[in-house]
Amino acid sequence: MERRSFLRGAVVGTSAAAFGFTLWQGAASAAPAQPGAGPYGSLGAADAHGIQLPAGFTSRVVARSGQKVGSTSYTWHNAPDGGACYTDGAGWIYVSNSEINPSGGASAVRFDASGSITGAYRILSNTRQNCAGGKTPWNTWLSCEEVSLGYVYEADPYGVNAAVQRPAMGRFKHEAAAADPVRRVVYLTEDETSGCLYRFVPTTWGDLSSGTLQVLVAGSGTSGSFTWANVPDPDGSPTVTRSQVSGAKKFNGGEGCHYANDTVWFTTKGDNRLWQLDVTSNTYQLAYDDSLVSGGSAPLTGVDNVTGAASGDLFVAEDGGTMEICVITPDDVVAPFLRITGQSGSEICGPAFSPDGRRLYFSSQRGTSGSSSGGITYEVTGPFRA
């Protein structure tokens, strides 16, 4: 994906004056973008599942909290949250966290080549408030505890190997993880109002049992250069990790994190921002900030989990807001991709694409009931951009 900045580009449904740029890549004669006129077009009427989608896309319910998954004997967990997909022969697996405390953990659903559900099972148990996480290049799932002094757990999506606690990755209020196979590190967000961004440098790539936890050090601005500094005491006791290094940059509620092509993208819910790090030049900047949009017309609010598509598009899920997943294109267009109706007391979690890029999985954490026992996991199929 290209580096982007919304000091240039198009934000659907906003005025050019709000950002100080000309819409559609600086073409002075171009007409302003219209609401809903993103790369997939406008959203249609809500379908039978209450989801508004662009033309050509359809949805189905994969699982509901407290109910059996498909024809399997496995009962789906409460409060489904972060997720990822894995290749499984000709089929694939979708993994989902459970953000409850106690007895959180993670579960998996197995699909065959046609998309039919063939199995479901638990891959992590007896942990606390497993929020987001991340996929490793060696096909494990990093499940993060969103509690004070929380751990990262490494789980097996295929259900063969027992999950393992990874204390070397630090004890703090974890949110998401994103692996960088080039620099051989894992980036970690922290869900605190004065949280930090970390990276874990394993002693041996592919083995997270030992290594060095580092924190990003930078100025207080919204752009500039950064460095990494070792966290002296990763177990966070007696001093929390975010307070151990002078100059560690603070972020207001770290959420989703995604790595692609030498860039780290991560969201902060406290100020509704999407940040980007260029890890080749060691510079950072804002990629999206709804406070720059005048008139309350920002197309993306309540930023949370983020994932990427093969096209270079980012898909950002909303925690509340208007219950949308928004797409952000490489040429800086921001627009709703889907909207869940009738579930204003919920949030959208765990967006992840199937290995072939044709299906998008995600969950409504609390569904129509607004309760953790009302979670719903969905699949959307359609002509996603290659």
Side-chain angles (χ1 to χ4, degrees):
M1 278 181 285
E2 300 171 358
R3 294 184 63 218
R4 72 192 80 203
S5 167
F6 290 135
L7 298 178
R8 65 185 196 284
V11 178
V12 173
T14 66
S15 67
F19 283 79
F21 55 69
T22 303
L23 293 175
W24 300 111
Q25 297 183 293
S29 60
Q34 297 302 310
Y40 292 102
S42 301
L43 302 183
D47 64 13
H49 304 126
I51 300 181
Q52 293 180 250
L53 292 162
F57 289 86
T58 59
S59 74
R60 69 164 169 162
V61 173
V62 171
R64 294 180 183 270
S65 295
Q67 298 184 21
K68 305 298 184 185
V69 179
S71 58
T72 74
S73 60
Y74 185 73
T75 300
W76 197 235
H77 56 260
N78 288 346
D81 205 287
C85 281
Y86 299 81
T87 299
D88 182 42
W92 60 92
I93 292 167
Y94 177 66
V95 165
S96 170
N97 276 344
S98 175
E99 194 187 11
I100 59 173
N101 186 9
S103 302
S107 303
V109 182
R110 179 172 271 124
F111 302 86
D112 66 16
S114 68
S116 298
I117 295 171
T118 60
Y121 45 92
R122 174 69 60 158
I123 64 169
L124 176 63
S125 300
N126 302 318
T127 54
R128 305 168 297 162
Q129 204 159 320
N130 297 78
C131 196
K135 180 180 179 179
T136 69
W138 49 93
N139 287 326
T140 59
W141 169 243
L142 301 181
S143 184
C144 297
E145 289 185 316
E146 189 193 2
V147 295
S148 179
L149 298 180
Y151 288 101
V152 174
Y153 289 83
E154 187 171 15
D156 177 12
Y158 303 93
V160 176
N161 299 310
V164 180
Q165 189 182 86
R166 296 303 189 193
M169 301 185 78
R171 295 194 65 188
F172 52 88
K173 198 174 183 181
H174 285 276
E175 182 68 31
D180 175 350
V182 178
R183 279 143 289 274
R184 297 189 169 189
V185 300
V186 179
Y187 305 100
L188 302 159
T189 56
E190 181 178 25
D191 192 357
E192 299 275 7
T193 56
S194 60
C196 292
L197 183 74
Y198 303 87
R199 73 175 186 179
F200 179 67
V201 186
T203 303
T204 302
W205 185 236
D207 180 357
L208 302 178
S209 62
S210 66
T212 303
L213 183 68
Q214 299 180 324
V215 66
L216 186 141
V217 175
S220 59
T222 56
S223 65
S225 61
F226 66 85
T227 58
W228 298 99
N230 292 350
V231 175
D233 195 5
D235 70 0
S237 178
T239 303
V240 294
T241 55
R242 64 185 181 277
S243 299
Q244 293 183 23
V245 175
S246 176
K249 185 169 179 60
K250 305 301 182 182
F251 295 98
N252 191 351
E255 290 286 335
C257 191
H258 176 69
Y259 168 84
N261 298 337
D262 298 322
T263 303
V264 181
W265 311 90
F266 67 99
T267 60
T268 50
K269 67 181 180 184
D271 47 20
N272 207 56
R273 288 170 166 176
L274 173 69
W275 300 80
Q276 65 182 73
L277 304 183
D278 183 328
V279 290
T280 58
S281 65
N282 284 345
T283 57
Y284 72 95
Q285 64 178 339
L286 279 179
Y288 178 81
D289 184 349
D290 75 339
S291 69
L292 298 178
V293 184
S294 63
S297 58
L300 172 61
T301 58
V303 297
D304 202 315
N305 293 169
V306 57
T307 194
S311 60
D313 295 335
L314 293 178
F315 285 75
V316 185
E318 291 186 335
D319 179 350
T322 49
M323 284 293 288
E324 293 177 344
I325 294 179
C326 288
V327 60
I328 303 179
T329 71
D331 54 355
D332 299 335
V333 176
V334 184
F337 169 71
L338 65 80
R339 181 183 300 124
I340 301 177
T341 63
Q343 300 185 32
S344 59
S346 187
E347 62 185 273
I348 301 179
C349 306
F353 282 94
S354 59
D356 64 7
R358 297 178 180 176
R359 302 168 193 251
L360 175 66
Y361 295 91
F362 59 93
S363 295
S364 171
Q365 189 178 85
R366 297 177 291 278
T368 57
S369 69
S371 166
S372 62
S373 61
I376 309 170
T377 299
Y378 298 96
E379 173 195 86
V380 164
T381 306
F384 287 102
R385 304 202 305 170

